[in-house]
């Protein structure tokens, strides 16, 4: 059947004809597979809910087969491809995606292809077997799988093994380019808005909303690249990159905490504007390297409520960004309300304020600013936020943040037991390997610097099962003349 296909797979034609359809139909397939798995687990096969779910699934698969003449479902790292089109992951289908991916992974499978249209019974047998195997927690070679299914009278599926993780370099490269564009544009627009607030000019929230939307979309699509760019931390552009970084961290964190896309837009806007009050603080105070007077501190401590005023003045045709005002007001209050401003009446920091406080605390402490020439290592900052209750961060949110960044966050310089130096590139795709991120080796064992270096996965083991490389400690990149941001552009 597939031999009669005229469209080159993945070629230009596929982009125009099949892509939009496949995105939608592929999602439907994911949702119906997930739905079927759920009812199969709950009810006996003859139950009406099971029959209905399997019929829906057969229809969803049938629609793809009818139009495409083929149906291939492939899992790769954290992505799902249907007929080579990558499905977009968003918060609505997050549970379905992760459940299907983890079931396939636990069974030792990476893909399945329907040779002909599978019936409801074919799906029932296939999915039941998958779930039983995943529950047993034992991978099975593909040949055994095929034999087992054939034994149950199901021959309509062809199966494939899991793929190695970094298979799609092209995709990664494109994601990286897109992230760089989003980041640069966000910094530019933020600069424009902050400067016009400083000059007392009218500003458009619309523009900044679009920036936030592109950050949210990018993070839902592929978060590693954008998180990597937060390490650039340009000293001269601190005010603007800080706002953008806090927005990126907050959105990525909010996503982990299960916020909806609309909530992420609101959160992102609030995060981007959290320090907007600083544009009403004299530049002479903001740029002081040392010797801040009491008056200077009073100016700095006023930025939360100055922010509320600045946002209030931004109203116009648009709705007032109430949530952003609350975050601007509360982000330094601390969970125990010992921060500033001191509230008159008892209150609770809102969830958005607590998220932004964590993102803000992390970015500020790892950046080098006028009054902080040596930044702390990201790992040390995280540990402090977690272990010192007086810092006033919400422990659950800090935990989520550590899960997001890994124990060694992206951009940390680490020394390995091979005496190589490396920079943390991405947290491990395996949640159980928080201390074994993917790193870029930037010097050999004798201290010769390498550029751009090469990526290695610290979870990699030798044939005897020992780890090839392990982090001994973190270190200050300046000691070695390394500029971390250089390795992320
Ligand atoms: Fe602030
Ligand atoms: Fe801040």
């Amino acid at each position: 059947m597939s031999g009669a296909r005229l469209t080159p797979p993945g070629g230009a034609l596929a982009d125009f004809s099949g892509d939009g359809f496949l995105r939608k139909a592929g999602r439907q397939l994911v949702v119906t597979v997930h739905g079927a798995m759920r009812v199969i687990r709950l009810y006996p096969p003859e139950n009406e809910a099971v029959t209905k779910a399997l019929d829906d699934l057969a229809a969803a698969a049938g629609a793809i087969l009818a139009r495409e003449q083929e149906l291939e479902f492939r899992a790769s790292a954290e992505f799902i491809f249907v007929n080579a089109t990558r499905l977009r992951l968003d918060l609505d289908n997050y549970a379905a995606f992760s459940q299907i991916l983890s079931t396939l992974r636990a069974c030792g499978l990476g893909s399945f292809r329907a040779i002909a249209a599978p019936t409801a019974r074919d799906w029932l047998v296939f999915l039941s077997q998958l779930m039983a195997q995943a529950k047993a927690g034992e991978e099975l070679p593909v040949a055994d799988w095929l034999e087992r299914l054939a034994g149950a009278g199901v021959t309509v599926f062809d199966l494939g093994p899991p793929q190695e993780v970094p298979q799609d370099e092209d995709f990664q490269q494109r994601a990286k380019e897109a992230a760089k564009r989003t980041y640069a544009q966000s910094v530019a627009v933020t600069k424009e808005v902050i400067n016009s607030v400083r000059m007392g000019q009218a500003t458009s929230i619309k523009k900044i909303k679009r920036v936030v939307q592109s950050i949210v979309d990018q993070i839902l699509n592929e978060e590693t690249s954008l998180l990597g760019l937060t390490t650039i931390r340009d000293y001269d552009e601190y005010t603007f990159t800080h706002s953008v970084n806090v927005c990126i961290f907050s959105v990525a964190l909010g996503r982990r905490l299960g916020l909806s896309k609309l909530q992420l837009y609101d959160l992102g806007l609030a995060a981007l504007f959290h320090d907007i009050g600083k544009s009403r603080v004299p530049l002479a105070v903001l740029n002081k390297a040392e010797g801040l007077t009491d008056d200077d501190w009073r100016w700095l401590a006023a930025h939360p409520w100055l922010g509320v005023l600045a946002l209030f003045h931004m109203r116009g045709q648009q709705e007032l960004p109430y949530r952003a005002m609350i975050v601007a007001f509360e982000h330094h209050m601390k969970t125990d309300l010992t921060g500033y401003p001191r509230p008159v009446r008892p209150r609770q920091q809102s969830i958005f304020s607590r998220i932004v406080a964590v993102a803000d605390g992390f970015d500020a402490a790892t950046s080098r600013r006028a009054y902080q020439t040596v930044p702390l290592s990201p790992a040390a900052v995280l540990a402090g936020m977690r272990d010192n209750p007086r810092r006033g961060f919400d422990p659950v949110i800090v935990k989520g943040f550590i899960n997001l960044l890994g124990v060694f966050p992206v951009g940390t310089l680490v020394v390995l037991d091979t005496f190589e130096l490396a920079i943390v590139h991405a947290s491990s795709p395996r949640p159980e390997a928080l201390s074994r991120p993917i790193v870029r080796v930037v010097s050999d064992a004798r201290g010769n610097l390498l550029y751009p270096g090469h990526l290695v996965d610290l979870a990699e083991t030798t044939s005897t099962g020992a780890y090839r490389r392990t982090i001994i400690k973190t270190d200050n990149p300046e000691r070695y003349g390394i500029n971390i941001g250089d390795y992320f552009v």
Side-chain angles (χ1 to χ4, degrees):
M1 195 56 135
S2 63
R5 225 175 105 97
L6 292 173
T7 316
L13 278 175
D15 283 338
F16 287 103
S17 60
D19 226 22
F21 165 78
L22 275 176
R23 283 236 167 103
K24 230 168 134 194
R27 273 174 72 111
Q28 187 58 23
L29 183 69
V30 166
V31 170
T32 48
V33 167
H34 183 234
M37 281 164 68
R38 204 180 50 219
V39 290
I40 291 172
R41 194 176 315 120
L42 290 174
Y43 306 109
E46 61 280 6
N47 183 287
E48 206 178 311
V50 178
T51 323
K52 161 117 188 17
L54 290 172
D55 285 345
D56 288 350
L57 173 53
I64 296 175
L65 274 162
R67 169 143 172 177
E68 295 267 315
Q69 274 98 54
E70 68 168 348
L71 171 60
E72 190 216 27
F73 187 103
R74 184 158 53 84
S76 175
E78 51 193 313
F79 302 116
I80 292 179
F81 294 78
V82 169
N83 292 2
T85 292
R86 189 166 73 85
L87 303 184
R88 207 181 279 271
L89 170 69
D90 56 40
L91 286 162
D92 300 333
N93 59 28
Y94 185 74
F97 262 65
S98 45
Q99 163 117 52
I100 295 173
L101 286 174
S102 64
T103 305
L104 283 174
R105 200 172 298 143
C107 293
L109 291 177
S111 66
F112 59 86
R113 171 190 286 274
I115 306 167
T119 61
R121 182 185 178 275
D122 289 330
W123 283 113
L124 175 64
V125 171
F126 180 47
L127 295 181
S128 309
Q129 297 268 9
L130 281 185
M131 286 190 293
Q133 193 65 30
K135 200 167 169 201
E138 202 185 313
E139 293 184 14
L140 211 59
V142 169
D144 292 7
W145 265 114
L146 290 173
E147 204 171 300
R148 182 187 282 195
L149 288 177
V154 176
T155 51
V156 71
F157 294 109
D158 191 11
L159 304 173
Q163 291 204 331
E164 291 305 312
V165 175
Q167 50 82 45
D168 196 347
E169 273 193 25
D170 192 39
F171 165 71
Q172 301 229 337
Q173 193 51 39
R174 267 181 292 149
K176 209 171 157 187
E177 294 300 325
K180 267 195 248 174
R181 271 198 305 275
T182 303
Y183 192 86
Q185 222 219 337
S186 308
V187 173
V189 172
T190 308
K191 189 172 182 175
E192 196 185 308
V193 170
I194 290 183
N195 282 340
S196 52
V197 171
R198 184 173 290 287
M199 318 280 269
Q201 292 162 349
T203 38
S204 146
I205 299 188
K206 242 189 216 149
K207 227 179 192 177
I208 212 106
K209 275 190 176 163
R210 270 200 296 271
V211 159
V212 171
Q213 283 166 5
S214 57
I215 288 178
V216 170
D217 292 349
Q218 174 86 42
I219 283 179
L220 291 178
N221 196 27
E222 196 268 341
E223 71 184 6
T224 312
S225 304
L226 216 43
L227 282 176
L229 291 175
T230 59
T231 58
I232 295 175
R233 305 210 164 92
D234 188 327
Y235 172 68
D236 292 328
E237 304 272 320
Y238 172 74
T239 312
F240 319 116
T241 52
H242 171 64
S243 300
V244 172
N245 290 352
V246 171
C247 177
I248 293 171
F249 287 135
S250 299
V251 170
L253 185 50
R255 174 192 175 193
R256 293 280 166 126
L257 298 172
L259 299 187
S260 73
K261 195 167 177 177
L262 286 178
Q263 288 173 317
L264 290 180
Y265 286 158
D266 263 356
L267 172 65
L269 187 76
L272 203 63
F273 277 139
H274 78 281
D275 271 341
I276 191 75
K278 285 198 179 164
S279 53
R280 299 207 161 182
V281 174
L283 277 175
V285 175
L286 287 181
N287 294 337
K288 254 193 192 173
E290 52 195 12
L292 286 164
T293 64
D294 284 354
D295 254 2
D296 295 339
W297 280 114
R298 258 193 292 280
W299 265 116
L300 286 173
H303 82 267
W305 61 265
L306 287 172
V308 178
L309 290 187
L311 288 168
F312 198 76
H313 279 277
M314 271 189 203
R315 75 191 190 281
Q317 324 86 344
Q318 300 114 347
E319 268 177 63
L320 278 173
Y322 288 112
R323 286 218 177 72
M325 291 183 185
I326 293 173
V327 168
F329 191 62
E330 292 181 337
H331 73 279
H332 290 294
M333 268 187 181
K334 301 188 178 177
T335 43
D336 58 3
L337 306 178
T338 58
Y340 63 91
R342 283 288 166 110
V344 183
R345 276 183 286 271
R347 64 187 287 149
Q348 227 196 352
Q349 249 189 330
S350 76
I351 177 81
F352 279 16
S353 302
R354 280 179 277 154
I355 294 174
V356 171
V358 168
D360 178 45
F362 177 76
D363 189 71
T366 50
S367 304
R368 174 217 252 269
R369 283 175 296 169
Y371 42 91
Q372 180 177 312
T373 42
V374 182
L376 287 166
S377 91
V381 171
L382 277 187
M385 291 171 68
R386 183 191 56 200
D387 300 335
N388 185 352
R390 281 206 309 264
R391 304 281 308 277
F393 295 112
D394 182 321
V396 175
I397 294 176
V398 173
K399 198 161 173 231
F401 199 51
I402 293 176
N403 268 309
L404 170 71
L405 299 183
V407 179
F408 302 102
V410 170
T412 307
L413 182 78
V414 292
V415 182
L416 304 177
D417 57 355
T418 52
F419 300 109
E420 293 160 309
L421 291 173
I423 296 172
V424 177
H425 176 77
S427 59
S428 172
R430 284 164 286 269
E432 69 283 3
L434 279 180
S435 59
R436 299 204 160 268
I438 296 170
V439 301
R440 183 179 292 280
V441 175
V442 294
S443 95
D444 63 18
R446 290 160 58 200
N448 301 311
L449 290 185
L450 312 166
Y451 188 87
H454 57 276
L455 292 180
V456 300
D457 185 344
L458 293 185
E460 226 175 76
T461 50
T462 60
S463 54
T464 61
Y467 288 111
R468 282 185 194 281
R469 294 177 172 86
T470 298
I471 295 174
I472 311 180
K473 60 170 191 157
T474 65
D475 210 333
N476 178 5
E478 277 180 28
R479 271 188 63 188
Y480 305 93
I482 292 173
N483 182 12
I484 300 286
D486 290 349
Y487 289 88
F488 287 93
V489 288

